[in-house]
Amino acid sequence: MTVSPTPSAVLQCNGVERRFGGLVAVTDVDLRIDRGEIFGLVGPNGSGKTTLVNAITGFYPPQKGRIFLDGEDITGMKPHLVARRQVARTFQNLALFNGMSVLDNILLGRHVHLQPSISKTVLYWWLGQPQEIEHRRVCEEIIEFLQLQGVRDEPVESLSIGLKKRVELARALVAEPTFLILDEPMAGMNQEEKEYMARFVLDARDERGITVLLIEHHMDVVTGICDRIMALNYGEVIGTGLPRDVVANPRVIEAYLGKGHQHAA
Ligand code: ADP
Ligand code: MG
């Protein structure tokens, strides 16, 4: 197992393993994502995709292996310190604050140390700081980028799932990440919403130079927008490479068709 980082890599994982009690959620994961890539992470439900993201972002540190970000060893680093290194993520389950507007939810993304328990009062205290104008400028820019102007003052709970997911993306983007991790950003969306989201992910890379790790179930999206993909099954890597090669890999086909697994749409 090599433990030295490759210079062009934004992210590199070497032999990463994460267990929960006796359950091996991911094991022996080697991964390299280069600058400017949209890298897809696929696999049936329970195959370890979110766990790998949690290992990278410090929520559940790995018990084995090393993780490098821009050449720096971040293995076991706390989530807020990983976030400060211009890494932003969205969550598989929506993590928006009901009772607050779209704009306020997006503004929260400017504060990379924010705890989920933060209250509205603290938010307004914080927005009273001199950086407020800059925070608002970045938020307005991202609202325009993601075409959210029409709903910016709406309470977030009134939105469709497609728009809620877009607000989450906006909140991640206002942190001005260089590396963005999206955990099933298209889950529960209809075809049109999926296409919009796919377009925004491409634009984030093309116009803003952001490197993307995209967890996605929809294979049409993955093969359409990812440069390379990696497939997991029962926590193990079963294929890495160009999307067309990985989806044609017999082990990947079997994993998706296997008993008890949800078929990829
Ligand atoms: P995926 O995102 O591919 O659907 P997950 O990474 O969520 O898969 O889960 C991989 C395995 O790890 C599953 O068996 C899941 O039940 C288990 N797991 C994930 N998180 C935890 C946790 N916090 N505690 C215990 N088991 C977990
Ligand atoms: Mg998951």
Side-chain angles (χ1 to χ4, degrees):
M1 187 181 80
T2 52
V3 290
S4 54
T6 306
S8 64
V10 169
L11 179 79
Q12 192 167 336
C13 298
N14 292 115
V16 165
E17 178 169 302
R18 173 71 209 195
R19 298 181 304 274
F20 296 105
L23 178 93
V24 181
V26 291
T27 185
D28 209 16
V29 173
D30 291 332
L31 166 65
R32 197 196 76 239
I33 302 179
D34 288 326
R35 190 162 309 286
E37 274 193 301
I38 298 177
F39 191 99
L41 180 57
V42 303
N45 280 335
S47 58
K49 302 179 300 295
T50 298
T51 300
L52 182 60
V53 165
N54 283 332
I56 293 165
T57 50
F59 287 84
Y60 291 122
Q63 286 105 348
K64 279 192 201 165
R66 309 305 311 170
I67 299 169
F68 299 93
L69 184 74
D70 288 319
E72 180 188 11
D73 190 340
I74 60 158
T75 317
M77 193 177 271
K78 294 268 181 286
H80 70 282
L81 294 177
V82 177
R84 266 193 227 162
R85 284 161 173 74
Q86 291 179 287
V87 178
R89 71 179 288 191
T90 63
F91 291 85
Q92 182 167 358
N93 299 313
L94 284 161
L96 296 172
F97 294 87
N98 288 342
M100 288 170 60
S101 70
V102 166
L103 176 63
D104 285 346
N105 268 278
I106 294 172
L107 273 163
L108 290 173
R110 288 296 293 171
H111 196 309
V112 292
H113 318 294
L114 203 70
Q115 298 302 309
S117 60
I118 197 88
S119 72
K120 219 173 166 177
T121 320
V122 175
L123 174 71
Y124 283 114
W125 167 80
W126 169 67
L127 288 175
Q129 304 300 303
Q131 308 92 329
E132 177 178 351
I133 292 168
E134 172 63 5
H135 293 316
R136 289 197 177 266
R137 188 194 62 74
V138 175
C139 289
E140 294 302 339
E141 183 195 319
I142 296 299
I143 283 171
E144 199 170 311
F145 177 68
L146 295 181
Q147 298 170 24
L148 287 166
Q149 302 95 321
V151 293
R152 66 196 290 290
D153 298 319
E154 299 291 323
V156 78
E157 65 270 24
S158 70
L159 305 184
S160 67
I161 182 133
L163 282 172
K164 282 181 180 163
K165 289 273 190 187
R166 216 191 285 179
V167 174
E168 276 221 317
L169 175 61
R171 192 171 58 191
L173 287 176
V174 296
E176 300 185 284
T178 54
F179 182 41
L180 176 65
I181 302 175
L182 303 172
D183 195 346
E184 301 202 24
M186 298 162 203
M189 288 190 176
N190 63 36
Q191 188 62 28
E192 191 190 0
E193 290 171 331
K194 264 167 52 183
E195 283 168 17
Y196 264 100
M197 184 57 86
R199 186 73 249 164
F200 290 132
V201 173
L202 274 172
D203 287 349
R205 191 270 307 273
D206 295 344
E207 294 175 23
R208 308 182 74 83
I210 299 173
T211 305
V212 181
L213 171 56
L214 172 68
I215 298 183
E216 191 44 64
H217 257 312
H218 300 101
M219 283 301 193
D220 53 340
V221 173
V222 168
T223 52
I225 70 172
C226 293
D227 300 298
R228 289 189 303 136
I229 66 177
M230 184 172 90
L232 289 175
N233 194 32
Y234 295 112
E236 289 182 29
V237 178
I238 55 169
T240 307
L242 297 174
R244 64 168 181 271
D245 295 337
V246 175
V247 298
N249 174 334
R251 289 183 74 191
V252 175
I253 294 168
E254 197 193 323
Y256 269 101
L257 298 178
K259 199 164 167 261
H261 286 317
Q262 184 186 319
H263 194 318

